[in-house]
Amino acid sequence: MKKLEINAYKCWGCKTCERTCSAAFNEEAPRINVIAKNRNARVPLTCLHCGDPACMQACKFEVISRNSKTGAIEIDLIKCTNCKACLSACPYGNIIWENKRERVVKCNLCGGDPKCAKTCPSGTLMFV
Amino acid sequence: MTIKFIIDGKKVSGNTGDTILDVARNYDIEIPTLCHHKAVENWGGCRLCIVDIGHRIVTSCLYPIKAGLDVKTDSPRILKNRQMILNLLLAQAPAAKEIQELAKKYGVEPMPLVKGKATHKCITCGLCTRLCAAQGAYAISTVSRGPEKSIGTFWEKPPEDCIGCLICASNCPTGAIEFHEKAGTRKIWEKDFTLEKCKTCGATLPLTTEQVKHYSKRSNLKEEYFTTCDDCRRVGTANTFLDLIHDPSGKLMEKWETAQLPPLKMPSPTKEWFEEQKQKGLLKTEKDIYEEAGN
């Protein structure tokens, strides 16, 4: 199963990944965030699809599950009640409150072919 | 077991236990609903999802599928009944925009009925009460019966059990539940709450104190998980990644794993990792990346 590698030492801070992600979701808030201006470095952050996710543990409605094909942790957006339990529980801050449609979203690896990795010019994001 | 039947002349199939609405939604066949939400049990309260199965009209959110069913979502009988239901809902909740839009969509001509209060939006579908129960708070329920039935709290007082999570207000189909937020406080069902503040930077979080206690207790996660704001958590994660990067011995990564923190599914660029990647021929040069992006 492929994984999205984040080789943060290569990051240019251009935020192309953020714009690609936003464009892929109809100009909504991007599911990937680049933390720049911190310790003179740039680190892109997105859902780490943890082995034992805190978000899954926090959700009471069984809305979060692992996609068996891609290995990604996914939120069922129709079933989600937007109670923000998962958003608050993620220790890495990688679940996003999408302000335009007022709902909780997160990276789902684009169903197995992440677009951010395709457009990253520095080789920071690689889907291997 | 797969069950095959027909909706609006289209061949569809579903599994034992599915309702007609489940299957219709899988096939993108439109059936309007108001009181339905996948996260809680099917209720059949608003009656808007009715379909015609030939000898009967049933609510598609409750009727289990059977082999050979011939379902119609827009027979003349259904359209007439749906218009009547929307008329009644319009009269009950004159201020509900969603119902006015549905009424327009299905060509409803308003009937002279006794109207509710002009500002009333609630259709007493009970979705809020089921979500509140599923959250484990049980703060609101339906009160009284007949024309006086409404959604309320115990003895009409501010509910002790409410945690201020807003799950009722966020999911109400007509936006009938009001809440107010200002200056780090929240008020809903006449109960006042204080919003938590980020332990690192002091920013206001979207959770109340009671909400944090409730979420951490039921999910077995420490309260610290819930009391840092998004930005501070992301900066913290970025710092952790940077520490891992600048630790070629790999000892920090080991500490991370033994502390049983949620495992990072990404390799840390230690010396060993670099060697491994070089051997596998996976280390890309900038030239390779540009060429690939160019296609």
Side-chain angles (χ1 to χ4, degrees):
Chain A
M1 202 171 275
K2 288 190 179 179
K3 293 179 262 179
L4 179 68
E5 276 183 16
I6 306 177
N7 304 303
Y9 56 96
K10 289 191 190 177
C11 183
W12 295 350
C14 65
K15 306 210 177 184
T16 303
C17 51
E18 283 190 17
R19 294 194 207 206
T20 310
C21 184
S22 181
F25 286 99
N26 206 17
E27 306 301 324
E28 289 180 3
R31 281 57 165 158
I32 184 168
N33 287 294
V34 179
I35 311 300
K37 299 185 188 169
N38 175 52
R39 279 165 65 167
N40 199 25
R42 300 141 299 278
V43 183
L45 287 178
T46 182
C47 172
L48 301 174
H49 305 288
C50 303
D52 187 15
C55 58
M56 230 192 236
Q57 248 182 294
C59 179
K60 186 83 176 339
F61 300 99
E62 292 179 9
V63 162
I64 304 184
S65 58
R66 189 182 295 278
N67 183 322
S68 48
K69 243 190 355 174
T70 63
I73 301 288
E74 292 182 355
I75 298 180
D76 181 344
L77 289 172
I78 302 176
K79 202 172 172 188
C80 176
T81 60
N82 294 313
C83 70
K84 297 193 188 170
C86 58
L87 191 148
S88 325
C90 175
Y92 311 112
N94 286 322
I95 301 191
I96 318 285
W97 175 250
E98 211 293 296
N99 248 317
K100 257 175 65 173
R101 286 181 66 173
E102 295 201 319
R103 54 180 189 168
V104 173
V105 297
K106 69 176 232 12
C107 167
N108 62 355
L109 288 184
C110 294
D113 194 14
K115 299 192 171 67
C116 52
K118 286 184 172 171
T119 58
C120 175
S122 57
T124 307
L125 301 170
M126 301 206 285
F127 193 55
V128 289
Chain B
M1 210 185 71
T2 321
I3 297 178
K4 296 201 175 93
F5 62 108
I6 299 176
I7 302 182
D8 288 343
K10 184 173 170 178
K11 290 204 186 120
V12 297
S13 70
N15 300 317
T16 322
D18 284 348
T19 60
I20 296 178
L21 183 65
D22 291 337
V23 179
R25 292 260 155 104
N26 284 341
Y27 284 84
D28 281 329
I29 297 173
E30 207 186 301
I31 299 182
T33 60
L34 280 171
C35 72
H36 178 78
H37 198 295
K38 258 174 97 172
V40 288
E41 73 239 274
N42 298 320
W43 196 244
C46 67
R47 313 309 280 183
L48 207 51
C49 65
I50 45 171
V51 291
D52 197 338
I53 56 170
H55 57 288
R56 271 173 70 186
I57 292 180
V58 295
T59 45
S60 53
C61 67
L62 288 174
Y63 199 80
I65 57 176
K66 288 190 239 197
L69 268 181
D70 186 9
V71 179
K72 292 207 172 42
T73 68
D74 55 1
S75 69
R77 238 187 353 164
I78 290 293
L79 287 176
K80 214 177 77 172
N81 275 286
R82 195 175 285 153
Q83 286 170 342
M84 185 68 206
I85 293 169
L86 284 168
N87 251 315
L88 292 167
L89 288 172
L90 274 175
Q92 179 182 15
K97 238 182 354 137
E98 289 81 355
I99 302 188
Q100 284 160 13
E101 283 168 19
L102 279 168
K104 212 159 110 183
K105 183 171 175 189
Y106 290 102
V108 171
E109 309 228 341
M111 287 168 62
L113 294 165
V114 175
K115 284 200 175 9
K117 244 169 56 173
T119 51
H120 199 73
K121 286 185 184 175
C122 176
I123 56 170
T124 0
C125 67
L127 180 59
C128 52
T129 60
R130 278 174 280 140
L131 285 166
C132 188
Q135 272 285 58
Y138 299 91
I140 52 174
S141 72
T142 53
V143 294
S144 285
R145 291 175 189 229
E148 277 149 47
K149 182 174 178 184
S150 65
I151 306 292
T153 59
F154 194 56
W155 289 120
E156 290 184 40
K157 290 209 174 88
E160 268 181 36
D161 295 323
C162 178
I163 58 173
C165 67
L166 298 186
I167 201 174
C168 53
S170 321
N171 293 288
C172 173
T174 55
I177 301 177
E178 279 184 10
F179 65 96
H180 305 283
E181 281 191 13
K182 68 160 193 226
T185 63
R186 181 182 288 169
K187 186 170 185 166
I188 189 174
W189 297 110
E190 301 296 311
K191 186 174 174 185
D192 288 302
F193 296 94
T194 336
L195 293 171
E196 280 285 325
K197 288 207 164 33
C198 173
K199 294 260 182 321
T200 315
C201 71
T204 311
L205 300 171
L207 302 178
T208 66
T209 319
E210 289 86 338
Q211 219 177 334
V212 167
K213 281 207 184 75
H214 188 85
Y215 282 2
S216 80
K217 195 163 140 204
R218 75 167 186 209
S219 48
N220 249 326
L221 294 166
K222 287 189 268 185
E223 279 186 31
E224 282 80 61
Y225 266 86
F226 298 96
T227 47
T228 319
C229 73
D230 273 19
D231 292 316
C232 288
R233 268 180 282 157
R234 284 196 276 264
V235 169
T237 314
N239 285 333
T240 313
F241 277 28
L242 291 169
D243 289 339
L244 287 169
I245 288 171
H246 297 300
D247 171 45
S249 65
K251 287 215 189 87
L252 268 180
M253 189 63 150
E254 253 184 71
K255 217 168 93 178
W256 181 274
E257 280 166 359
T258 45
Q260 291 184 335
L261 292 166
L264 300 174
K265 290 292 186 187
M266 75 150 235
S268 87
T270 58
K271 268 197 186 137
E272 291 94 37
W273 181 81
F274 265 117
E275 289 306 307
E276 208 187 288
Q277 298 299 299
K278 241 193 233 166
Q279 276 169 7
K280 288 192 197 162
L282 285 176
L283 267 190
K284 289 186 188 176
T285 64
E286 305 227 328
K287 188 159 161 259
D288 297 329
I289 293 161
Y290 274 122
E291 279 178 352
E292 271 177 39
N295 304 358

